[in-house]
Every structure is written in C-alpha cells, then in structure tokens.
Amino acid sequence: MKPIGTLSLALALLGAALAARADEVQVAVAANFTAPMQEIAKAFAAATGHQVLASFGSTGKFYSQITNGAPFEALLAADTQTPAKLEEDGAAVRGSSFVYAVGKLVLWSAKPDVVDKQGKVLKEGKFEHLSIANPKLAPYGAAGVEVMKAMGVFGAVEPKLVQADNIAQAFQFISTGNAELGFVALSQVSKDGKMAAGSAWIVPEKLYQPINQAAVILDKGKGKPAVIALMAFLKGEQARVIIRSFGYGI
C-alpha cells in the first residue's frame, strides 16, 4: 500500500471536515420558484455540502403552517409582505429578509395559437375555462386578477375561472387541458428566453404591481450555519445566473 502524500492527506481531512459540518435546510418555497430552486439546491450542495429539503406551495398556506409550528427554517415567498409579517409576528429573524427575484406573469396555453401576443384572447372571451391560482393565497393569482380588472374583462371572465390552490396547480390544470389557458409564472413555461411549448402573452408589467419575491430566515433557522449559507448563496452570482435563466428579474 502506498503512503498517503501530504497533499492527499490534507484534502482527505478537509473533505471529512466539510462532511462533518454538512447539514440540511428545511425550506418552504413558493410554487412558482420550483424549477429554479431545484437547480439552485444542486449548485448549493455542490458548493457547500449542505442539502436543501424544499417544500413547494402557496405563500399564503406556508404562512399559516409556519405560524402553527411547521419545522421550516427559511421561506422563499412569492411576495415581500409575508416575510415582513412573519418578522413582525416574531416567527422570523428581524432584518433577514431580502428580495431574491422579481417575478413575471404570463397568460399561457398548452396549445399553439390559443393565446395571442397582445392578450386579445381575454377580451374576445372565446374559451370555456381560465385557470388562476387562488388570489387570496398566491401573489401570482392576485396579479392575474389585477390584470383582468385593468383590462376591463374581469366581470366577463370571472364565471370561467378555474381556481387552483397555487401556481403549480394552475399550470397543471392548463397543461392537462382542464383549462384552455391561464395565468402562470414565466419561469414555469420558459427557459433561457425560449417558450417550452404552447402559446403565451408575457403580460406588460404596467398592468400589475411588481411581484417582488423575498426570502427570510425563520425562527427555527436562527443562527444555523447551513441556513445562513443558503441565504448568502441566493445573493451570489451563481444563483442569480440560474434565477435570470428562468426569466426572473433580480
């Protein structure tokens, strides 16, 4: 057996030390950020050894779960209000929240030629069902309602709405044909500036309030090195490149 060289021994000891310090982070993540977070979690694990255990859902439901004792250590919300409220409630670390992404809303159909590039399909109303995330729980759903009201079509479209629990379910309703079209996050239907399938109208940002998405360290993650490392990673360029690739602003 060959003796282990000094450099090899040092690397082995470093690897063992990193493995010993590796930890898991329980993170609640807004459903619109599913695909980017999956990529970020892989990059974060490769860079730090820490593992992200992510749960995806609506920001409103996560708020309820967190205030009722759910074991999450960090929240990546689809708004800024929820992290701020958690800080006020004492359920999150004060001053730890920051905007990690700015979302973009899109009216999308899984079928080609259903949604035009100007969104005229909303005024024409030649569809049976339009899917939207629950506007009381999901900021993207609230933004969709805001757009329809700004266009003066909400009254006509409201009877055709198929309400989903969150933006991921809204996407599912559209992709399976249960709704011909609907409002989803741009990140769900595009990558690197290219639409994956179907037809879409990227809604002008002047028609809805900016969807600033904030992350915050929750009380259960206070002082935990892995949680602090994840928040720092989200602010770094490696994560931001991934975030931008899904169409988010930052």
Side-chain angles (χ1 to χ4, degrees), residues 95-126:
S96 67
S97 64
F98 63 95
V99 174
Y100 65 90
V102 180
K104 295 181 182 178
L105 189 69
V106 61
L107 182 66
W108 179 71
S109 174
K111 297 179 180 179
D113 303 322
V114 172
V115 178
D116 60 283
K117 299 296 183 182
Q118 290 78 38
K120 293 178 182 177
V121 62
L122 289 175
K123 293 185 177 181
E124 293 169 353
K126 296 178 181 178

PDB file of all heavy atoms in Angstrom, residues 95-126:
ATOM      1  N   GLY A  95     -34.908  41.672  10.073  1.00  0.00           N
ATOM      2  CA  GLY A  95     -33.838  42.199   9.237  1.00  0.00           C
ATOM      3  C   GLY A  95     -33.189  41.194   8.306  1.00  0.00           C
ATOM      4  O   GLY A  95     -32.252  41.533   7.574  1.00  0.00           O
ATOM      5  N   SER A  96     -33.689  39.952   8.304  1.00  0.00           N
ATOM      6  CA  SER A  96     -33.056  38.921   7.471  1.00  0.00           C
ATOM      7  C   SER A  96     -33.670  38.809   6.073  1.00  0.00           C
ATOM      8  O   SER A  96     -33.123  38.127   5.207  1.00  0.00           O
ATOM      9  CB  SER A  96     -33.127  37.552   8.154  1.00  0.00           C
ATOM     10  OG  SER A  96     -34.470  37.091   8.239  1.00  0.00           O
ATOM     11  N   SER A  97     -34.805  39.461   5.840  1.00  0.00           N
ATOM     12  CA  SER A  97     -35.476  39.304   4.543  1.00  0.00           C
ATOM     13  C   SER A  97     -34.800  40.150   3.461  1.00  0.00           C
ATOM     14  O   SER A  97     -34.243  41.209   3.735  1.00  0.00           O
ATOM     15  CB  SER A  97     -36.954  39.673   4.644  1.00  0.00           C
ATOM     16  OG  SER A  97     -37.107  41.037   4.956  1.00  0.00           O
ATOM     17  N   PHE A  98     -34.859  39.645   2.242  1.00  0.00           N
ATOM     18  CA  PHE A  98     -34.319  40.359   1.084  1.00  0.00           C
ATOM     19  C   PHE A  98     -35.012  39.837  -0.175  1.00  0.00           C
ATOM     20  O   PHE A  98     -35.509  38.700  -0.198  1.00  0.00           O
ATOM     21  CB  PHE A  98     -32.805  40.154   0.956  1.00  0.00           C
ATOM     22  CG  PHE A  98     -32.390  38.725   0.719  1.00  0.00           C
ATOM     23  CD1 PHE A  98     -32.169  38.249  -0.573  1.00  0.00           C
ATOM     24  CD2 PHE A  98     -32.242  37.842   1.780  1.00  0.00           C
ATOM     25  CE1 PHE A  98     -31.802  36.932  -0.800  1.00  0.00           C
ATOM     26  CE2 PHE A  98     -31.878  36.511   1.567  1.00  0.00           C
ATOM     27  CZ  PHE A  98     -31.654  36.057   0.275  1.00  0.00           C
ATOM     28  N   VAL A  99     -35.072  40.659  -1.208  1.00  0.00           N
ATOM     29  CA  VAL A  99     -35.683  40.248  -2.475  1.00  0.00           C
ATOM     30  C   VAL A  99     -34.687  39.400  -3.253  1.00  0.00           C
ATOM     31  O   VAL A  99     -33.579  39.845  -3.555  1.00  0.00           O
ATOM     32  CB  VAL A  99     -36.110  41.470  -3.300  1.00  0.00           C
ATOM     33  CG1 VAL A  99     -36.603  41.036  -4.677  1.00  0.00           C
ATOM     34  CG2 VAL A  99     -37.202  42.255  -2.576  1.00  0.00           C
ATOM     35  N   TYR A 100     -35.090  38.163  -3.557  1.00  0.00           N
ATOM     36  CA  TYR A 100     -34.211  37.257  -4.294  1.00  0.00           C
ATOM     37  C   TYR A 100     -34.594  37.147  -5.773  1.00  0.00           C
ATOM     38  O   TYR A 100     -33.801  36.681  -6.598  1.00  0.00           O
ATOM     39  CB  TYR A 100     -34.205  35.866  -3.658  1.00  0.00           C
ATOM     40  CG  TYR A 100     -35.532  35.136  -3.725  1.00  0.00           C
ATOM     41  CD1 TYR A 100     -35.855  34.313  -4.793  1.00  0.00           C
ATOM     42  CD2 TYR A 100     -36.478  35.280  -2.706  1.00  0.00           C
ATOM     43  CE1 TYR A 100     -37.075  33.649  -4.856  1.00  0.00           C
ATOM     44  CE2 TYR A 100     -37.700  34.626  -2.750  1.00  0.00           C
ATOM     45  CZ  TYR A 100     -37.992  33.813  -3.830  1.00  0.00           C
ATOM     46  OH  TYR A 100     -39.207  33.164  -3.890  1.00  0.00           O
ATOM     47  N   ALA A 101     -35.803  37.589  -6.117  1.00  0.00           N
ATOM     48  CA  ALA A 101     -36.254  37.515  -7.512  1.00  0.00           C
ATOM     49  C   ALA A 101     -37.451  38.433  -7.722  1.00  0.00           C
ATOM     50  O   ALA A 101     -38.195  38.722  -6.781  1.00  0.00           O
ATOM     51  CB  ALA A 101     -36.643  36.082  -7.886  1.00  0.00           C
ATOM     52  N   VAL A 102     -37.616  38.877  -8.966  1.00  0.00           N
ATOM     53  CA  VAL A 102     -38.798  39.665  -9.348  1.00  0.00           C
ATOM     54  C   VAL A 102     -39.525  38.866 -10.420  1.00  0.00           C
ATOM     55  O   VAL A 102     -38.998  38.642 -11.512  1.00  0.00           O
ATOM     56  CB  VAL A 102     -38.408  41.056  -9.886  1.00  0.00           C
ATOM     57  CG1 VAL A 102     -39.661  41.846 -10.262  1.00  0.00           C
ATOM     58  CG2 VAL A 102     -37.588  41.827  -8.851  1.00  0.00           C
ATOM     59  N   GLY A 103     -40.732  38.408 -10.082  1.00  0.00           N
ATOM     60  CA  GLY A 103     -41.463  37.513 -10.970  1.00  0.00           C
ATOM     61  C   GLY A 103     -42.148  38.211 -12.127  1.00  0.00           C
ATOM     62  O   GLY A 103     -42.422  39.411 -12.070  1.00  0.00           O
ATOM     63  N   LYS A 104     -42.408  37.440 -13.160  1.00  0.00           N
ATOM     64  CA  LYS A 104     -43.122  37.951 -14.332  1.00  0.00           C
ATOM     65  C   LYS A 104     -44.324  37.055 -14.609  1.00  0.00           C
ATOM     66  O   LYS A 104     -44.234  35.833 -14.569  1.00  0.00           O
ATOM     67  CB  LYS A 104     -42.195  37.998 -15.541  1.00  0.00           C
ATOM     68  CG  LYS A 104     -41.049  38.991 -15.383  1.00  0.00           C
ATOM     69  CD  LYS A 104     -40.156  39.038 -16.611  1.00  0.00           C
ATOM     70  CE  LYS A 104     -39.001  40.000 -16.399  1.00  0.00           C
ATOM     71  NZ  LYS A 104     -38.082  40.039 -17.568  1.00  0.00           N
ATOM     72  N   LEU A 105     -45.444  37.700 -14.903  1.00  0.00           N
ATOM     73  CA  LEU A 105     -46.701  37.000 -15.145  1.00  0.00           C
ATOM     74  C   LEU A 105     -46.892  36.741 -16.632  1.00  0.00           C
ATOM     75  O   LEU A 105     -46.552  37.577 -17.471  1.00  0.00           O
ATOM     76  CB  LEU A 105     -47.855  37.847 -14.617  1.00  0.00           C
ATOM     77  CG  LEU A 105     -49.249  37.225 -14.584  1.00  0.00           C
ATOM     78  CD1 LEU A 105     -49.310  36.114 -13.528  1.00  0.00           C
ATOM     79  CD2 LEU A 105     -50.291  38.297 -14.263  1.00  0.00           C
ATOM     80  N   VAL A 106     -47.455  35.577 -16.948  1.00  0.00           N
ATOM     81  CA  VAL A 106     -47.703  35.239 -18.350  1.00  0.00           C
ATOM     82  C   VAL A 106     -49.069  34.574 -18.474  1.00  0.00           C
ATOM     83  O   VAL A 106     -49.492  33.817 -17.591  1.00  0.00           O
ATOM     84  CB  VAL A 106     -46.588  34.319 -18.907  1.00  0.00           C
ATOM     85  CG1 VAL A 106     -46.531  33.007 -18.145  1.00  0.00           C
ATOM     86  CG2 VAL A 106     -46.783  34.030 -20.384  1.00  0.00           C
ATOM     87  N   LEU A 107     -49.785  34.912 -19.526  1.00  0.00           N
ATOM     88  CA  LEU A 107     -51.028  34.221 -19.871  1.00  0.00           C
ATOM     89  C   LEU A 107     -50.632  33.126 -20.843  1.00  0.00           C
ATOM     90  O   LEU A 107     -50.071  33.404 -21.908  1.00  0.00           O
ATOM     91  CB  LEU A 107     -52.021  35.180 -20.530  1.00  0.00           C
ATOM     92  CG  LEU A 107     -53.384  34.587 -20.909  1.00  0.00           C
ATOM     93  CD1 LEU A 107     -54.170  34.192 -19.670  1.00  0.00           C
ATOM     94  CD2 LEU A 107     -54.193  35.574 -21.753  1.00  0.00           C
ATOM     95  N   TRP A 108     -50.905  31.876 -20.484  1.00  0.00           N
ATOM     96  CA  TRP A 108     -50.336  30.745 -21.236  1.00  0.00           C
ATOM     97  C   TRP A 108     -51.392  29.695 -21.573  1.00  0.00           C
ATOM     98  O   TRP A 108     -52.331  29.466 -20.813  1.00  0.00           O
ATOM     99  CB  TRP A 108     -49.221  30.108 -20.412  1.00  0.00           C
ATOM    100  CG  TRP A 108     -48.575  28.911 -21.053  1.00  0.00           C
ATOM    101  CD1 TRP A 108     -47.752  28.896 -22.141  1.00  0.00           C
ATOM    102  CD2 TRP A 108     -48.706  27.544 -20.634  1.00  0.00           C
ATOM    103  NE1 TRP A 108     -47.351  27.597 -22.427  1.00  0.00           N
ATOM    104  CE2 TRP A 108     -47.925  26.763 -21.514  1.00  0.00           C
ATOM    105  CE3 TRP A 108     -49.406  26.910 -19.603  1.00  0.00           C
ATOM    106  CZ2 TRP A 108     -47.821  25.370 -21.393  1.00  0.00           C
ATOM    107  CZ3 TRP A 108     -49.310  25.521 -19.478  1.00  0.00           C
ATOM    108  CH2 TRP A 108     -48.527  24.778 -20.365  1.00  0.00           C
ATOM    109  N   SER A 109     -51.213  29.067 -22.730  1.00  0.00           N
ATOM    110  CA  SER A 109     -51.991  27.894 -23.126  1.00  0.00           C
ATOM    111  C   SER A 109     -51.025  26.813 -23.563  1.00  0.00           C
ATOM    112  O   SER A 109     -49.986  27.105 -24.172  1.00  0.00           O
ATOM    113  CB  SER A 109     -52.950  28.224 -24.277  1.00  0.00           C
ATOM    114  OG  SER A 109     -53.585  27.037 -24.738  1.00  0.00           O
ATOM    115  N   ALA A 110     -51.357  25.575 -23.250  1.00  0.00           N
ATOM    116  CA  ALA A 110     -50.507  24.457 -23.668  1.00  0.00           C
ATOM    117  C   ALA A 110     -50.613  24.212 -25.172  1.00  0.00           C
ATOM    118  O   ALA A 110     -49.773  23.530 -25.758  1.00  0.00           O
ATOM    119  CB  ALA A 110     -50.898  23.188 -22.908  1.00  0.00           C
ATOM    120  N   LYS A 111     -51.627  24.805 -25.778  1.00  0.00           N
ATOM    121  CA  LYS A 111     -51.842  24.620 -27.215  1.00  0.00           C
ATOM    122  C   LYS A 111     -51.347  25.836 -28.001  1.00  0.00           C
ATOM    123  O   LYS A 111     -51.466  26.970 -27.530  1.00  0.00           O
ATOM    124  CB  LYS A 111     -53.329  24.403 -27.493  1.00  0.00           C
ATOM    125  CG  LYS A 111     -53.904  23.150 -26.844  1.00  0.00           C
ATOM    126  CD  LYS A 111     -55.389  23.014 -27.136  1.00  0.00           C
ATOM    127  CE  LYS A 111     -55.961  21.767 -26.488  1.00  0.00           C
ATOM    128  NZ  LYS A 111     -57.422  21.626 -26.751  1.00  0.00           N
ATOM    129  N   PRO A 112     -50.809  25.615 -29.189  1.00  0.00           N
ATOM    130  CA  PRO A 112     -50.374  26.752 -30.016  1.00  0.00           C
ATOM    131  C   PRO A 112     -51.575  27.525 -30.552  1.00  0.00           C
ATOM    132  O   PRO A 112     -52.681  26.992 -30.659  1.00  0.00           O
ATOM    133  CB  PRO A 112     -49.597  26.077 -31.152  1.00  0.00           C
ATOM    134  CG  PRO A 112     -50.175  24.691 -31.229  1.00  0.00           C
ATOM    135  CD  PRO A 112     -50.525  24.313 -29.831  1.00  0.00           C
ATOM    136  N   ASP A 113     -51.369  28.803 -30.826  1.00  0.00           N
ATOM    137  CA  ASP A 113     -52.370  29.660 -31.472  1.00  0.00           C
ATOM    138  C   ASP A 113     -53.616  29.936 -30.632  1.00  0.00           C
ATOM    139  O   ASP A 113     -54.625  30.413 -31.160  1.00  0.00           O
ATOM    140  CB  ASP A 113     -52.804  29.059 -32.826  1.00  0.00           C
ATOM    141  CG  ASP A 113     -51.618  28.848 -33.755  1.00  0.00           C
ATOM    142  OD1 ASP A 113     -50.717  29.708 -33.742  1.00  0.00           O
ATOM    143  OD2 ASP A 113     -51.588  27.825 -34.459  1.00  0.00           O
ATOM    144  N   VAL A 114     -53.585  29.646 -29.337  1.00  0.00           N
ATOM    145  CA  VAL A 114     -54.724  29.979 -28.475  1.00  0.00           C
ATOM    146  C   VAL A 114     -54.546  31.382 -27.887  1.00  0.00           C
ATOM    147  O   VAL A 114     -55.456  32.203 -27.907  1.00  0.00           O
ATOM    148  CB  VAL A 114     -54.880  28.948 -27.335  1.00  0.00           C
ATOM    149  CG1 VAL A 114     -55.940  29.415 -26.327  1.00  0.00           C
ATOM    150  CG2 VAL A 114     -55.265  27.586 -27.903  1.00  0.00           C
ATOM    151  N   VAL A 115     -53.345  31.647 -27.382  1.00  0.00           N
ATOM    152  CA  VAL A 115     -53.046  32.952 -26.784  1.00  0.00           C
ATOM    153  C   VAL A 115     -52.233  33.781 -27.774  1.00  0.00           C
ATOM    154  O   VAL A 115     -51.191  33.351 -28.257  1.00  0.00           O
ATOM    155  CB  VAL A 115     -52.259  32.792 -25.464  1.00  0.00           C
ATOM    156  CG1 VAL A 115     -51.924  34.160 -24.883  1.00  0.00           C
ATOM    157  CG2 VAL A 115     -53.057  31.968 -24.462  1.00  0.00           C
ATOM    158  N   ASP A 116     -52.728  34.977 -28.069  1.00  0.00           N
ATOM    159  CA  ASP A 116     -52.026  35.874 -28.988  1.00  0.00           C
ATOM    160  C   ASP A 116     -51.022  36.728 -28.232  1.00  0.00           C
ATOM    161  O   ASP A 116     -51.032  36.777 -26.999  1.00  0.00           O
ATOM    162  CB  ASP A 116     -53.033  36.773 -29.717  1.00  0.00           C
ATOM    163  CG  ASP A 116     -53.825  37.628 -28.729  1.00  0.00           C
ATOM    164  OD1 ASP A 116     -54.750  37.088 -28.093  1.00  0.00           O
ATOM    165  OD2 ASP A 116     -53.498  38.813 -28.575  1.00  0.00           O
ATOM    166  N   LYS A 117     -50.169  37.402 -28.944  1.00  0.00           N
ATOM    167  CA  LYS A 117     -49.069  38.164 -28.353  1.00  0.00           C
ATOM    168  C   LYS A 117     -49.504  39.463 -27.681  1.00  0.00           C
ATOM    169  O   LYS A 117     -48.720  40.114 -27.011  1.00  0.00           O
ATOM    170  CB  LYS A 117     -48.019  38.484 -29.426  1.00  0.00           C
ATOM    171  CG  LYS A 117     -47.370  37.262 -30.061  1.00  0.00           C
ATOM    172  CD  LYS A 117     -46.573  36.457 -29.057  1.00  0.00           C
ATOM    173  CE  LYS A 117     -45.857  35.282 -29.723  1.00  0.00           C
ATOM    174  NZ  LYS A 117     -45.110  34.471 -28.737  1.00  0.00           N
ATOM    175  N   GLN A 118     -50.773  39.854 -27.850  1.00  0.00           N
ATOM    176  CA  GLN A 118     -51.288  41.077 -27.204  1.00  0.00           C
ATOM    177  C   GLN A 118     -52.333  40.796 -26.128  1.00  0.00           C
ATOM    178  O   GLN A 118     -52.869  41.713 -25.525  1.00  0.00           O
ATOM    179  CB  GLN A 118     -51.895  42.014 -28.260  1.00  0.00           C
ATOM    180  CG  GLN A 118     -50.880  42.659 -29.205  1.00  0.00           C
ATOM    181  CD  GLN A 118     -50.411  41.713 -30.283  1.00  0.00           C
ATOM    182  OE1 GLN A 118     -51.197  40.922 -30.817  1.00  0.00           O
ATOM    183  NE2 GLN A 118     -49.134  41.761 -30.610  1.00  0.00           N
ATOM    184  N   GLY A 119     -52.649  39.534 -25.912  1.00  0.00           N
ATOM    185  CA  GLY A 119     -53.626  39.187 -24.897  1.00  0.00           C
ATOM    186  C   GLY A 119     -55.061  39.496 -25.288  1.00  0.00           C
ATOM    187  O   GLY A 119     -55.946  39.577 -24.422  1.00  0.00           O
ATOM    188  N   LYS A 120     -55.313  39.651 -26.585  1.00  0.00           N
ATOM    189  CA  LYS A 120     -56.667  39.962 -27.044  1.00  0.00           C
ATOM    190  C   LYS A 120     -57.650  38.833 -26.732  1.00  0.00           C
ATOM    191  O   LYS A 120     -58.859  39.050 -26.666  1.00  0.00           O
ATOM    192  CB  LYS A 120     -56.662  40.232 -28.551  1.00  0.00           C
ATOM    193  CG  LYS A 120     -55.910  41.498 -28.952  1.00  0.00           C
ATOM    194  CD  LYS A 120     -55.919  41.671 -30.467  1.00  0.00           C
ATOM    195  CE  LYS A 120     -55.136  42.901 -30.896  1.00  0.00           C
ATOM    196  NZ  LYS A 120     -55.085  43.040 -32.381  1.00  0.00           N
ATOM    197  N   VAL A 121     -57.124  37.621 -26.552  1.00  0.00           N
ATOM    198  CA  VAL A 121     -57.969  36.470 -26.253  1.00  0.00           C
ATOM    199  C   VAL A 121     -58.830  36.727 -25.015  1.00  0.00           C
ATOM    200  O   VAL A 121     -59.964  36.229 -24.927  1.00  0.00           O
ATOM    201  CB  VAL A 121     -57.106  35.201 -26.066  1.00  0.00           C
ATOM    202  CG1 VAL A 121     -56.154  35.351 -24.890  1.00  0.00           C
ATOM    203  CG2 VAL A 121     -57.967  33.963 -25.904  1.00  0.00           C
ATOM    204  N   LEU A 122     -58.350  37.522 -24.082  1.00  0.00           N
ATOM    205  CA  LEU A 122     -59.121  37.823 -22.874  1.00  0.00           C
ATOM    206  C   LEU A 122     -60.360  38.646 -23.200  1.00  0.00           C
ATOM    207  O   LEU A 122     -61.431  38.440 -22.621  1.00  0.00           O
ATOM    208  CB  LEU A 122     -58.257  38.563 -21.859  1.00  0.00           C
ATOM    209  CG  LEU A 122     -57.153  37.760 -21.174  1.00  0.00           C
ATOM    210  CD1 LEU A 122     -56.304  38.669 -20.295  1.00  0.00           C
ATOM    211  CD2 LEU A 122     -57.739  36.619 -20.349  1.00  0.00           C
ATOM    212  N   LYS A 123     -60.230  39.585 -24.118  1.00  0.00           N
ATOM    213  CA  LYS A 123     -61.363  40.433 -24.490  1.00  0.00           C
ATOM    214  C   LYS A 123     -62.335  39.699 -25.411  1.00  0.00           C
ATOM    215  O   LYS A 123     -63.542  39.932 -25.353  1.00  0.00           O
ATOM    216  CB  LYS A 123     -60.854  41.708 -25.166  1.00  0.00           C
ATOM    217  CG  LYS A 123     -60.080  42.620 -24.218  1.00  0.00           C
ATOM    218  CD  LYS A 123     -59.684  43.935 -24.873  1.00  0.00           C
ATOM    219  CE  LYS A 123     -58.991  44.849 -23.878  1.00  0.00           C
ATOM    220  NZ  LYS A 123     -58.614  46.154 -24.462  1.00  0.00           N
ATOM    221  N   GLU A 124     -61.791  38.812 -26.236  1.00  0.00           N
ATOM    222  CA  GLU A 124     -62.657  38.053 -27.148  1.00  0.00           C
ATOM    223  C   GLU A 124     -63.459  37.001 -26.401  1.00  0.00           C
ATOM    224  O   GLU A 124     -64.608  36.706 -26.770  1.00  0.00           O
ATOM    225  CB  GLU A 124     -61.793  37.400 -28.234  1.00  0.00           C
ATOM    226  CG  GLU A 124     -61.137  38.431 -29.169  1.00  0.00           C
ATOM    227  CD  GLU A 124     -60.078  37.810 -30.063  1.00  0.00           C
ATOM    228  OE1 GLU A 124     -59.766  36.619 -29.869  1.00  0.00           O
ATOM    229  OE2 GLU A 124     -59.560  38.527 -30.938  1.00  0.00           O
ATOM    230  N   GLY A 125     -62.871  36.436 -25.353  1.00  0.00           N
ATOM    231  CA  GLY A 125     -63.588  35.512 -24.474  1.00  0.00           C
ATOM    232  C   GLY A 125     -63.990  34.199 -25.104  1.00  0.00           C
ATOM    233  O   GLY A 125     -64.918  33.530 -24.624  1.00  0.00           O
ATOM    234  N   LYS A 126     -63.296  33.781 -26.154  1.00  0.00           N
ATOM    235  CA  LYS A 126     -63.672  32.532 -26.841  1.00  0.00           C
ATOM    236  C   LYS A 126     -62.987  31.324 -26.204  1.00  0.00           C
ATOM    237  O   LYS A 126     -62.220  30.598 -26.822  1.00  0.00           O
ATOM    238  CB  LYS A 126     -63.312  32.638 -28.323  1.00  0.00           C
ATOM    239  CG  LYS A 126     -64.097  33.726 -29.049  1.00  0.00           C
ATOM    240  CD  LYS A 126     -63.669  33.835 -30.506  1.00  0.00           C
ATOM    241  CE  LYS A 126     -64.432  34.935 -31.226  1.00  0.00           C
ATOM    242  NZ  LYS A 126     -63.997  35.097 -32.645  1.00  0.00           N
TER     243      LYS A 126
END
